[in-house]
């Protein structure tokens, strides 16, 4: 069993989600390789900034258009883009990093494959190349339904029926999930607001 204090819920309340409660979290790095040239002559090079911009937009369609997120929410977020050396030079390379959040194992694997395909194919269409590296992070925090059913009466007894609620899963992540890969577990929230 694990708990986490949170200001999402009022003091003296507890909350939990049977099944997938918190998302698996993975990170990605995409390097887009173009060909440096002067900004006044873009046709002499390959602009990795433009290609990276197209990749960012393409990545946004993975969760919004390619996955059935009615089954489980998922997010692909680009959180950082680095590239360029000065205002009038098209650089050789742009690097972007981001996070992936998912509440379903099969969907998690599918997202990884789609990120790689999206980045590589968009780069290719612009005459560039893309290197994609995905680093697996925390697994899904999954509350065993049987164990959750057994602990729920105890939570209600401790906090009172009105102070315990079943809540929707979130796309935050928690390292308690590593324990839950080894043994059935339950993770719940303790309100502090």
């Amino acid at each position: 069993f694990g708990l986490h204090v949170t200001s999402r819920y009022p003091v003296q309340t507890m909350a939990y989600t049977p099944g997938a409660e918190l998302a698996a979290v993975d990170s990605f790095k995409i390097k887009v390789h173009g060909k440096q040239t002067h900004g006044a002559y873009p046709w002499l090079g390959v602009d990795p900034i433009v290609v990276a911009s197209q990749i960012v937009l393409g990545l946004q369609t993975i969760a919004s258009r390619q996955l059935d997120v009615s089954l489980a929410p998922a997010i692909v977020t680009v959180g950082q883009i680095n590239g360029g050396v000065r205002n009038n030079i098209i650089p050789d390379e742009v690097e972007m990093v981001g996070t992936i959040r998912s509440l379903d194992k099969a969907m998690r694997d599918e997202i990884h494959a789609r990120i790689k395909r999206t980045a590589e194919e968009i780069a290719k269409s612009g005459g560039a190349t893309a290197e994609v590296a995905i680093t697996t992070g925390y697994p899904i925090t999954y509350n065993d339904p049987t164990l959750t059913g057994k602990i729920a009466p105890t939570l209600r007894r401790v906090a009172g029926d009105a102070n315990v609620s079943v809540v929707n899963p979130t796309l935050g992540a928690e390292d308690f999930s590593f324990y839950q890969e080894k043994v059935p577990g339950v993770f719940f929230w303790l309100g502090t607001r």
Side-chain angles (χ1 to χ4, degrees):
F1 297 97
L3 68 89
H4 197 298
V5 296
T6 180
S7 61
R8 289 175 54 209
Y9 304 111
V11 169
Q12 298 179 341
T13 64
M14 294 181 186
Y16 66 92
T17 307
E21 180 171 43
L22 289 149
V25 58
D26 305 312
S27 61
F28 65 87
K29 180 186 290 186
I30 301 171
K31 286 187 179 179
V32 179
H33 301 280
K35 181 181 174 192
Q36 183 173 316
T37 189
H38 196 281
Y41 312 105
W43 54 89
L44 297 177
V46 175
D47 192 337
I49 293 175
V50 171
V51 172
S53 300
Q54 293 170 335
I55 291 171
V56 170
L57 294 175
L59 294 176
Q60 298 313 297
T61 69
I62 292 173
S64 69
R65 297 294 183 266
Q66 300 175 39
L67 301 174
D68 185 353
V69 292
S70 69
L71 301 175
I75 294 289
V76 177
T77 296
V78 176
Q80 182 180 13
I81 300 177
N82 296 305
V85 293
R86 53 182 293 149
N87 70 319
N88 65 342
I89 301 295
I90 292 172
D92 274 328
E93 180 179 288
V94 169
E95 181 178 276
M96 63 183 86
V97 295
T99 188
I100 306 160
R101 305 296 173 116
S102 55
L103 286 161
D104 178 84
K105 171 74 172 101
M107 193 178 287
R108 181 186 197 185
D109 296 339
E110 182 72 13
I111 292 168
H112 291 187
R114 288 177 183 271
I115 287 172
K116 184 172 173 42
R117 184 184 73 211
T118 299
E120 290 175 351
E121 294 299 321
I122 289 174
K124 185 178 178 182
S125 75
T129 60
E131 293 175 42
V132 179
I134 296 175
T135 303
T136 303
Y138 299 161
I140 297 164
T141 302
Y142 183 85
N143 287 336
D144 179 77
T146 302
L147 198 54
T148 303
K150 289 181 180 179
I151 193 65
T154 302
L155 297 178
R156 286 188 188 86
R157 183 174 44 80
V158 169
D161 283 342
N163 292 324
V164 176
S165 56
V166 176
V167 294
N168 290 331
T170 71
L171 294 175
E174 172 59 47
D175 61 359
F176 184 77
S177 57
F178 287 116
Y179 292 115
Q180 293 173 313
E181 284 193 322
K182 304 294 183 192
V183 295
V186 177
F187 185 80
F188 59 96
W189 302 100
L190 177 63
T192 60
R193 183 179 69 228

